[in-house]
Amino acid sequence: MLKIKNLHASIDDNGVLKSILKGINLEIKAGEVHAIMGPNGSGKSTLASVVAGKEEFEVTKGTVLFNDEDIEDLAAEERAHKGIFLSFQYPVEIPGVSVTNFMKTAINETRKAKGLEEMPAKEMLKLIREKSELLEIDRKFLSRSLNEGFSGGEKKRNEIFQMAMLEPKLAILDETDSGLDIDALRIVANGVNKLKSKDNAVLVITHYQRLLEYIVPDFVHVLLDGRIVKSGGKELAHELEEKGYDWIKEEVNA
Amino acid sequence: MSKYTEDDLREELKTKEYEYGFYTDIESDTFPIGLNEDIVKAISLKKGEPQWMTDWRLEAFKAWKEMIEPEWANVSYVKPDFQGISYYSAPNSKPKYDSLDEVDPELLATFAKLGISLDEQKKLSGVAMDVVVDSVSVATTFKKTLGEKGIIFCSISEAIKEYPELVKKYIGSVVPQRDNFYAALNSAVFSDGSFCYIPKGVRCPMELSTYFRINQAGTGQFERTLVIADEGSYVSYLEGCTAPSRDENQLHAAVVELIALDNAEIKYSTVQNWYPGNAEGKGGVYNFVTKRGICEKNAKISWTQVETGSAITWKYPSCILKGDNSVGEFYSIAVTNNFQQADTGTKMIHLGKNTKSTIISKGISAGKSQNSYRGLVKISPNADNARNFSQCDSLLMGNDCGAHTFPYIEAKNKTAKIEHEATTSKIGEDQIFYCNQRGISTEKAIALIVNGFSKDVLNKLPMEFAVEAKKLLEISLEGSVG
C-alpha cells in the first residue's frame, strides 16, 4: 500500500535547507500495523507530514508510492481523497465550525472528488451516530466548534472519530497517545482496532510502548536522526521501553 | 494593430471577473449631468411631488452647497466630481405595472440571472419585493396581502403622494437634511426608494425585501428608505444589492431612516455586493451611506449587514435609544479584498434609562485591502443603567492587508456598564493544512474558516438571506490565497 524509497526531506530554516529525513525506506502492506518509535527530533512527525503532503517540507530525493502511484505531485487534499489520513499530534482549532459541519464538508468534498453525489443528510446522521457511539462521544460534543476549548483527550478522540468517519486506507496516528488518560487511551485504541481490516493499514507514531499494548503492531521501526536504524516485531517496543534509545545509538555508531 | 496575445489572455483570466458583471440595455430617461437648483426642482417635478417636498429638497440642497466632503474616514480615493454626475435616471417604460407580464422582458432576464426571479420569489419564498432598478420601482408584489393588514409597502415616491402625512412627519426626523454631506446630497436629489409603515400592534407576516441595482453608466444612485413601525408592531426588512461591472466609479449615497415607536421592533438586514473594482483597484462603487434608527420606549432595532462589495464603504448604521428600556443591536460582517477600503461600524446613542446595545463586528481583510471598524458608544447623563457590549474581531488573510479598530466611548453617567472586546487573527497555514488533510481544498477551507468566523453574525440573518450571504463570502474571497 505505502512504499517509501530512500526518502530525503528538508525544511527551509530561514533560507537554509535543513535536512530532516535522510533516506527512509519503509513498506506497509494492507492489513498491517506498523509502529515508528524514536526520540524527540528524530523526524517522526516530519515523516507523517511528508506522507500527508505538507508543503512546508521539500522532498529532495526518493519516492513515496501509494498503491503504486507516485504521490509527490499530489496536493494534500488529493492524497486525502485517495485514502491517506493523518491524526494530528496537535489538532488545530477552527472557531465557529462545528465538528459535524467540518465532517460533513470533508466527506462531501471527498465524494465530489470521486464524482459522487453529496451524502444524503439522513445517511450522514446515521454515520455520525454510529461512529460517535464507537468512540463513546457525547452528541453535544459534535455541535461544538472544532477543537476549540477541547481538552487534550477530547482532541485526540475527535481525531479518531474523524478517521472513523472518513474510513481511510492508510491511517497515520501521530502521537495520538500523548495527552490521553488511561480510559481515553483504551477508547481510542479500541476504536482503531475496530476499524482495522485486511484492506487498510495503520502507522502508529509514538514515544511510548503504552499505546502498543492496545494497538498491537506487526512491525516496529526505530527512527533515529532521519533514518530507520532498526526494525523488528512488537517485542522491540518492549526492549526500547526498558532500555531507552541509547543502546541503539551505540549500535548504530559502532 | 495590436494583437491579442496569450499574455493578454492570461492577464484577462487572472482577474476574476465580477460575478454579476453584466449590463442590461434598457432605454433610459437620463438627466444631463450636473447639479443646481433647477435640477433639484426638475427631479421633484418629474416625480410629480407636492410643493412641500420640493421645498424640503431645496432646503437640503442649500445646506449641501455650504458643506464639505468629510475626510476623517480611514479611506483614500479620488473625490467624485459632483457636477459630472447625472442625478436622475429611470427605466423608460410605463410608469407602473399591474402584473409582471408588463415588465420589460430584458429586465426580468436580469433578475433571473441574479437568481431573483420575481415569479419564484412570489410563489416560493413568501417574500414581498419592491424592486428598485435605477431608482424607480417597477414592481411591487404581495401588496394586497400586506394591504389587508394595513401595512404600507411602496416606493417612497408613491408614499409622498399617497401618504403625505406620514412622510411629512417622519422624513428627516432621524437623519436631518443637514446631518452630513452625503445625507444632505441625498435629501436634495433622492430619486426613489422604499417606504414601509406597519400599523399599531401588527406583526408583519413576511420578510419585506428590496433589491437595489445600479444600472446606468454615470448615474449616481440616491435611495431614500423610510421604515415606520408603529406602537407594538414588528417588521423584518431585507435589503440586497448587486450592480453591473463598470470601469468608472459610481457614487451611491443612500439614506435609511427607521422609526420604532413604543414597544415596536425593526430588524433591518442588508447584503451589499456592489462592484468592488477590479484586481488592480480600478473602478468600483463608492458607497457613502447614512443609516440610522430611533427607538422609543421598549422598542428595539437590529441592524445586520454583510458588506462584501464596493470600492469604498463609508457606513455606520446607528441607533438612537431615546425611550427607556430600548434596545439597539448591530451585527456586521465586512469583507474587503484586492484594493477595497471599508470604514464601517455603528453609533449607539443611549438617551433613555435601562437602554441596552450590542455590537458584534467581524472584519475580514484580504489582498491589499484596508478594513476599519469605527464605532461610538455614547451614554448621556440621563441614561441610568445603560449597558453596552461590543465585540470587534478581525481576520487577516495574507501580509498586505490591514485591519483597524477605532472604538469611541463617551460615558456621562456613572451607572453605565460598557464592555469592549477585540481580537485580531490570521488564517493560519496549519488550519489550511488540517482542512486539506481531511480532503478539503484550500479555497473551500478558507470559506469554511471565514464562515465559522462570521457565524455569530450570519446566525442573525433571516434563513434565505444567510444562504445567499454565505455564497457571497465565498465568491468575494475567491483567489485571495495563492
Side-chain angles (χ1 to χ4, degrees):
Chain A
M1 180 177 288
L2 182 73
K3 276 184 205 150
I4 300 175
K5 286 183 205 156
N6 194 29
L7 182 68
H8 288 68
S10 304
I11 192 165
D12 188 331
D13 189 13
N14 288 321
V16 184
L17 270 188
K18 194 178 148 201
S19 170
I20 301 177
L21 301 182
K22 302 168 182 170
I24 302 267
N25 289 293
L26 180 67
E27 181 169 0
I28 299 176
K29 295 198 177 82
E32 293 178 349
V33 175
H34 288 242
I36 289 190
M37 301 183 75
N40 283 331
S42 56
K44 300 190 299 294
S45 286
T46 300
L47 178 60
S49 295
V50 169
V51 173
K54 193 167 190 181
E55 281 175 11
E56 209 180 311
F57 299 99
E58 195 185 322
V59 173
T60 51
K61 215 195 268 181
T63 51
V64 180
L65 300 179
F66 186 66
N67 288 329
D68 298 319
E69 181 190 358
D70 189 337
I71 58 171
E72 193 187 335
D73 293 334
L74 295 186
E77 65 269 27
E78 293 170 311
R79 300 181 192 206
H81 297 156
K82 293 199 179 292
I84 295 175
F85 179 90
L86 172 61
S87 167
F88 284 73
Q89 184 178 2
Y90 304 108
V92 300
E93 295 177 3
I94 306 186
V97 178
S98 69
V99 177
T100 304
N101 187 17
F102 183 69
M103 258 4 278
K104 203 178 101 198
T105 308
I107 285 176
N108 283 332
E109 286 295 296
T110 301
R111 288 174 71 104
K112 204 167 87 187
K114 290 177 180 165
L116 298 170
E117 295 279 304
E118 289 199 351
M119 186 182 275
K122 211 176 145 191
E123 208 177 307
M124 182 79 71
L125 284 173
K126 194 174 152 244
L127 190 67
I128 288 173
R129 193 178 310 133
E130 195 183 301
K131 304 297 185 186
S132 57
E133 273 166 21
L134 178 71
L135 287 148
E136 301 177 32
I137 285 174
D138 188 342
R139 245 22 129 56
K140 274 187 227 141
F141 177 85
L142 300 171
S143 50
R144 283 170 60 187
S145 286
L146 188 70
N147 291 320
E148 202 182 32
F150 285 18
S151 70
E154 283 173 330
K155 282 183 183 171
K156 296 303 172 71
R157 204 187 292 192
N158 180 35
E159 291 292 290
I160 304 304
F161 167 70
Q162 293 184 35
M163 171 186 146
M165 291 289 292
L166 293 165
E167 298 179 333
K169 294 206 170 68
L170 173 69
I172 305 168
L173 312 184
D174 190 4
E175 305 213 5
T176 298
D177 49 343
S178 65
L180 288 187
D181 61 38
I182 197 74
D183 290 328
L185 186 74
R186 197 175 34 75
I187 292 166
V188 162
N190 198 20
V192 173
N193 287 331
K194 277 191 188 152
L195 296 165
K196 230 169 59 181
S197 78
K198 62 173 176 34
D199 299 318
N200 59 29
V202 182
L203 176 61
V204 182
I205 292 172
T206 181
H207 272 293
Y208 307 105
Q209 184 265 341
R210 192 174 71 147
L211 179 65
L212 304 179
E213 291 283 329
Y214 298 93
I215 304 171
V216 182
D218 302 301
F219 300 94
V220 174
H221 312 277
V222 180
L223 192 63
L224 208 63
D225 192 25
R227 285 184 196 90
I228 289 176
V229 295
K230 197 174 180 68
S231 297
K234 62 177 186 235
E235 64 289 343
L236 181 57
H238 287 279
E239 209 173 340
L240 290 169
E241 185 84 355
E242 241 169 71
K243 304 201 281 192
Y245 293 104
D246 286 347
W247 65 278
I248 294 188
K249 283 181 194 163
E250 279 162 25
E251 217 178 85
V252 171
N253 290 332
Chain B
M1 214 180 88
S2 64
K3 232 178 80 192
Y4 188 79
T5 63
E6 239 178 76
D7 285 345
D8 293 332
L9 176 67
R10 196 175 309 125
E11 205 51 42
E12 198 179 305
L13 292 175
K14 213 167 69 187
T15 47
K16 161 91 187 153
E17 289 299 322
Y18 179 64
E19 283 283 310
Y20 299 138
F22 50 85
Y23 168 67
T24 314
D25 192 13
I26 304 170
E27 256 185 276
S28 283
D29 174 5
T30 302
F31 272 27
I33 60 165
L35 184 57
N36 53 45
E37 263 193 37
D38 290 339
I39 291 281
V40 175
K41 281 182 196 159
I43 292 169
S44 194
L45 184 71
K46 184 103 197 160
K47 307 196 75 64
E49 289 175 354
Q51 190 58 40
W52 64 266
M53 198 66 237
T54 314
D55 293 344
W56 194 83
R57 285 177 182 271
L58 288 170
E59 211 178 292
F61 178 68
K62 264 186 209 135
W64 179 74
K65 275 197 303 190
E66 307 301 320
M67 295 170 104
I68 49 162
E69 213 178 333
E71 289 180 341
W72 44 262
N74 187 29
V75 293
S76 63
Y77 58 96
V78 180
K79 284 183 185 167
D81 173 8
F82 293 99
Q83 294 303 337
I85 296 170
S86 164
Y87 285 86
Y88 184 81
S89 156
N92 193 7
S93 302
K94 282 184 229 161
K96 273 289 161 193
Y97 302 98
D98 295 327
S99 79
L100 287 174
D101 307 338
E102 292 174 38
V103 178
D104 195 330
E106 200 169 341
L107 186 62
L108 292 179
T110 305
F111 290 144
K113 199 166 177 183
L114 283 166
I116 52 163
S117 130
L118 286 175
D119 266 321
E120 212 179 20
Q121 292 281 353
K122 263 167 99 175
K123 283 179 194 146
L124 300 174
S125 59
V127 175
M129 313 219 314
D130 182 22
V131 180
V132 178
V133 170
D134 255 64
S135 327
V136 168
S137 302
V138 292
T140 303
T141 53
F142 275 87
K143 216 163 169 176
K144 224 176 126 200
T145 325
L146 296 174
E148 281 161 12
K149 295 221 169 216
I151 295 167
I152 304 166
F153 182 40
C154 62
S155 72
I156 192 113
S157 316
E158 195 181 332
I160 289 165
K161 283 179 235 163
E162 305 290 327
Y163 315 100
E165 297 314 313
L166 280 172
V167 177
K168 214 169 169 176
K169 184 170 176 190
Y170 290 108
I171 196 167
S173 69
V174 192
V175 180
Q177 287 133 298
R178 55 181 66 242
D179 187 80
N180 67 68
F181 183 82
Y182 304 113
L185 179 64
N186 175 287
S187 301
V189 303
F190 73 88
S191 37
D192 213 335
S194 297
F195 176 85
C196 171
Y197 172 79
I198 315 290
K200 269 184 200 172
V202 169
R203 201 180 158 84
C204 184
M206 59 186 82
E207 319 263 2
L208 298 183
S209 164
T210 307
Y211 280 83
F212 291 99
R213 211 164 143 68
I214 306 174
N215 207 356
Q216 190 67 41
T219 56
Q221 179 134 344
F222 304 93
E223 297 290 340
R224 186 96 199 181
T225 302
L226 182 57
V227 179
I228 304 154
D230 211 329
E231 290 172 20
S233 68
Y234 167 85
V235 64
S236 169
Y237 193 95
L238 315 181
E239 170 197 65
C241 328
T242 56
S245 151
R246 219 26 80 61
D247 247 358
E248 64 200 275
N249 290 303
Q250 293 178 299
L251 174 66
H252 182 95
V255 171
V256 176
E257 293 177 279
L258 308 184
I259 292 113
L261 298 179
D262 291 359
N263 303 304
E265 181 177 350
I266 302 174
K267 216 170 130 72
Y268 195 101
S269 313
T270 306
V271 169
Q272 187 266 114
N273 180 29
W274 284 325
Y275 183 52
N278 68 9
E280 278 77 48
K282 196 161 171 268
V285 170
Y286 286 5
N287 190 22
F288 304 118
V289 183
T290 307
K291 291 183 167 181
R292 197 176 300 149
I294 190 162
C295 289
E296 298 291 346
K297 266 182 207 153
N298 304 316
K300 180 178 175 183
I301 289 177
S302 291
W303 295 102
T304 306
Q305 59 172 22
V306 178
E307 301 278 321
T308 61
S310 298
I312 311 284
T313 299
W314 182 97
K315 181 181 176 187
Y316 315 92
S318 303
C319 298
I320 301 170
L321 303 172
K322 182 179 163 222
D324 291 349
N325 310 313
S326 59
V327 176
E329 293 174 339
F330 174 75
Y331 303 106
S332 167
I333 300 169
V335 180
T336 54
N337 198 356
N338 296 318
F339 287 88
Q340 281 177 278
Q341 303 175 64
D343 193 305
T344 183
T346 184
K347 288 190 272 186
M348 291 292 176
I349 316 290
H350 292 253
L351 302 177
K353 294 179 175 50
N354 307 313
T355 46
K356 267 202 288 192
S357 64
T358 305
I359 299 170
I360 297 188
S361 160
K362 305 275 182 178
I364 299 152
S365 338
K368 295 185 189 318
S369 69
Q370 297 295 328
N371 201 332
S372 303
Y373 166 80
R374 187 183 301 277
L376 168 68
V377 176
K378 190 172 178 175
I379 315 283
S380 73
N382 295 328
D384 292 340
N385 302 314
R387 281 170 58 190
N388 162 267
F389 174 75
S390 303
Q391 186 183 331
C392 303
D393 298 325
S394 306
L395 189 66
L396 297 164
M397 295 168 64
N399 298 319
D400 301 321
C401 55
H404 315 268
T405 306
F406 304 98
Y408 304 83
I409 296 171
E410 286 174 33
K412 300 213 167 102
N413 184 310
K414 280 186 178 154
T415 60
K417 262 193 205 164
I418 300 169
E419 290 173 76
H420 181 96
E421 286 178 13
T423 66
T424 303
S425 53
K426 209 174 147 179
I427 294 188
E429 279 172 22
D430 284 350
Q431 281 176 314
I432 303 266
F433 178 64
Y434 189 85
C435 294
N436 289 160
Q437 211 299 306
R438 299 301 188 248
I440 301 166
S441 68
T442 301
E443 203 95 74
K444 189 83 191 169
I446 287 166
L448 195 69
I449 294 166
V450 166
N451 274 320
F453 173 77
S454 316
K455 198 176 90 181
D456 295 345
V457 176
L458 288 172
N459 282 348
K460 300 290 175 189
L461 287 171
M463 255 277 273
E464 71 272 28
F465 231 34
V467 174
E468 198 175 310
K470 274 187 193 175
K471 268 192 220 145
L472 209 52
L473 289 183
E474 290 181 28
I475 291 171
S476 308
L477 292 166
E478 258 173 32
S480 56
V481 165

